[in-house]
């Protein structure tokens, strides 16, 4: 269990420190993400809510996402406008392990997420947690469609994401079946996949501790999906986005993807500066 917990922390840090602008720009060349209603790795349509969850998380991260049986006119005429999603399922009897893969119209793999893992015994809950962890790779990409030169004459207006065609019977509770067509976390079937707080407080990192960004106290104020850190001015210094792990937050520092985590009772900001890992101590009061 300790190894698994450490592995999840490593995935978060590797993403935050190593996400390349080149990959982000590459995904920006595609207008749509296509989600199958049945993945090859599973026996039935939307098994374990896989299709609904994948579509939801892509939409949450700003992608134009559609099901494979409801393609827009321009995508139906040119499949190279979109990337097809696949799930690589390397689960064992004890651990659910999935990766999210994006494949272009020439069947070339363009992007593969980190491997999301879960040890929950219930398959529905286990795949939810594993898919959520895999989507850490897409968090903070700030996707924005940029047409290729050969597509500049095509219609490139943003597509409104609709969940009206979401696969039915994706949750056990009848109350949530009635409103599963609404595209909000609270009103859809995703309450169970909201980030869950755990007891993880240890983070992995070998960066040298640098001077703090401020010597004063930063006060954590709750906001949607996390906290904002305010100094005594008051001025917002950082905004922290919650992850599925307790005491580990995603943030943006001086234009860099970064993480804030608790280590040895202290709060640490860690980011990459010209390829070097930098750590700064924060004095945070929650």
């Amino acid at each position: 269990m300790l190894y698994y917990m450490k592995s999840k922390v490593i995935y978060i840090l590797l993403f935050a420190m190593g996400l390349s602008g080149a990959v982000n720009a590459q995904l920006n060349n595609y207008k749509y993400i296509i989600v199958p209603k049945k993945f090859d790795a599973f026996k039935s349509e939307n098994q374990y809510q896989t299709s609904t969850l994948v579509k939801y998380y892509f939409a949450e991260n700003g992608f134009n996402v559609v099901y494979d049986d409801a393609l827009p006119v321009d995508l139906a005429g040119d499949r190279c406008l979109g990337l097809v999603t696949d799930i690589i399922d390397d689960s064992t009897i004890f651990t659910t392990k999935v990766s999210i893969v994006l494949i272009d119209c020439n069947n070339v793999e363009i992007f593969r997420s980190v491997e999301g893992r879960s040890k929950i015994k219930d398959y529905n809950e286990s795949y939810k947690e594993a898919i959520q962890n895999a989507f850490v790779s897409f968090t903070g990409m700030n996707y924005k469609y940029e047409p290729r030169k050969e597509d500049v004459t095509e219609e490139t207006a943003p597509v409104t994401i609709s969940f009206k065609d979401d696969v039915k019977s994706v949750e056990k509770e009848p109350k949530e079946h009635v409103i599963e067509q609404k595209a909000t976390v609270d009103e859809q079937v995703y309450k169970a996949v909201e980030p869950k707080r755990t007891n993880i407080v240890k983070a992995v990192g070998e960066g040298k501790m640098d001077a703090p960004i401020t010597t004063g106290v930063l006060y954590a104020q709750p906001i949607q999906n996390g906290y904002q850190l305010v100094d005594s001015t008051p001025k917002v210094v950082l905004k922290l986005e919650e992850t599925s792990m307790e005491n580990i937050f995603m943030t943006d520092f001086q234009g860099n993807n970064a993480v804030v985590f608790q280590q040895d009772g202290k709060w640490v900001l860690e980011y990459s500066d010209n390829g070097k890992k930098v750590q700064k101590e924060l004095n945070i009061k929650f």
Side-chain angles (χ1 to χ4, degrees):
M1 177 62 72
L2 181 59
Y3 170 79
Y4 167 65
M5 292 164 64
K6 288 182 177 180
S7 297
K8 291 177 69 177
V9 176
I10 291 173
Y11 294 146
I12 295 287
L13 295 180
L14 284 178
F15 163 72
M17 298 301 109
L19 183 64
S20 73
V23 171
N24 190 9
Q26 189 175 23
L27 295 185
N28 288 346
N29 289 333
Y30 297 91
K31 188 174 182 179
Y32 299 99
I33 300 296
I34 305 168
V35 177
K37 285 191 174 178
K38 179 186 177 301
F39 290 102
D40 291 340
F42 301 94
K43 296 180 180 180
S44 60
E45 187 176 276
N46 200 39
Q47 189 171 11
Y48 309 128
Q49 304 176 26
T50 48
S51 296
T52 302
L53 289 170
V54 168
K55 184 172 186 280
Y56 168 74
Y57 278 118
F58 270 122
E60 187 181 54
N61 283 286
F63 290 87
N64 297 327
V65 54
V66 297
Y67 280 130
D68 58 352
D69 62 352
L71 304 183
V73 175
D74 57 345
L75 180 58
D78 181 5
R79 292 296 292 270
C80 291
L81 286 175
L83 293 172
V84 178
T85 311
D86 195 12
I87 291 181
I88 305 301
D89 187 3
D90 292 322
S91 300
T92 66
I93 190 172
F94 299 110
T95 306
T96 299
K97 298 186 290 185
V98 298
S99 300
I100 308 300
V101 174
L102 295 177
I103 302 169
D104 70 8
C105 59
N106 296 312
N107 203 34
V108 175
E109 182 177 312
I110 301 299
F111 182 81
R112 180 180 294 234
S113 73
V114 297
E115 185 177 71
R117 297 188 176 192
S118 175
K119 287 186 175 292
I120 300 176
K121 293 182 179 180
D122 178 79
Y123 283 136
N124 282 311
E125 297 301 319
S126 186
Y127 276 99
K128 286 179 183 179
E129 183 175 62
I131 290 173
Q132 180 186 12
N133 290 336
F135 263 90
V136 167
S137 293
F138 297 95
T139 303
M141 277 193 175
N142 298 320
Y143 164 81
K144 182 179 180 182
Y145 175 52
E146 299 174 357
R148 299 164 295 179
K149 291 183 179 179
E150 58 268 34
D151 299 328
V152 293
T153 59
E154 296 185 6
E155 184 65 37
T156 58
V159 175
T160 301
I161 304 302
S162 173
F163 285 79
K164 67 179 182 179
D165 296 320
D166 277 11
V167 181
K168 301 298 186 289
S169 66
V170 294
E171 191 60 86
K172 299 177 182 178
E173 301 180 15
K175 180 179 179 181
E176 294 190 347
H177 276 302
V178 177
I179 57 174
E180 66 175 356
Q181 295 179 0
K182 295 189 178 181
T184 66
V185 175
D186 292 334
E187 294 181 287
Q188 212 177 150
V189 296
Y190 303 106
K191 291 182 179 179
V193 300
E194 282 293 284
K196 299 178 180 178
R197 306 188 74 79
T198 69
N199 294 320
I200 300 174
V201 296
K202 185 175 178 59
V204 177
E206 299 178 355
K208 181 179 179 181
M209 188 69 71
D210 205 345
I213 61 175
T214 175
T215 57
V217 177
L218 297 177
Y219 299 91
Q221 298 177 342
I223 59 175
Q224 185 175 5
N225 299 325
Y227 299 88
Q228 63 181 15
L229 303 184
V230 179
D231 62 18
S232 58
T233 308
K235 179 180 69 176
V236 177
V237 177
L238 287 175
K239 289 187 177 181
L240 308 183
E241 181 179 345
E242 288 183 326
T243 67
S244 60
M245 286 148 286
E246 186 175 16
N247 296 334
I248 298 180
F249 301 90
M250 304 291 291
T251 188
D252 179 88
F253 180 68
Q254 296 180 348
N256 296 296
N257 290 310
V259 288
V260 172
F261 57 91
Q262 194 175 55
Q263 179 174 269
D264 299 328
K266 299 179 180 179
W267 287 101
V268 178
L269 168 71
E270 184 172 305
Y271 63 98
S272 179
D273 185 11
N274 293 324
K276 295 182 180 180
K277 190 179 295 184
V278 180
Q279 292 185 345
K280 294 179 180 291
E281 184 177 338
L282 303 177
N283 186 4
I284 304 176
K285 298 295 184 182
F286 283 90

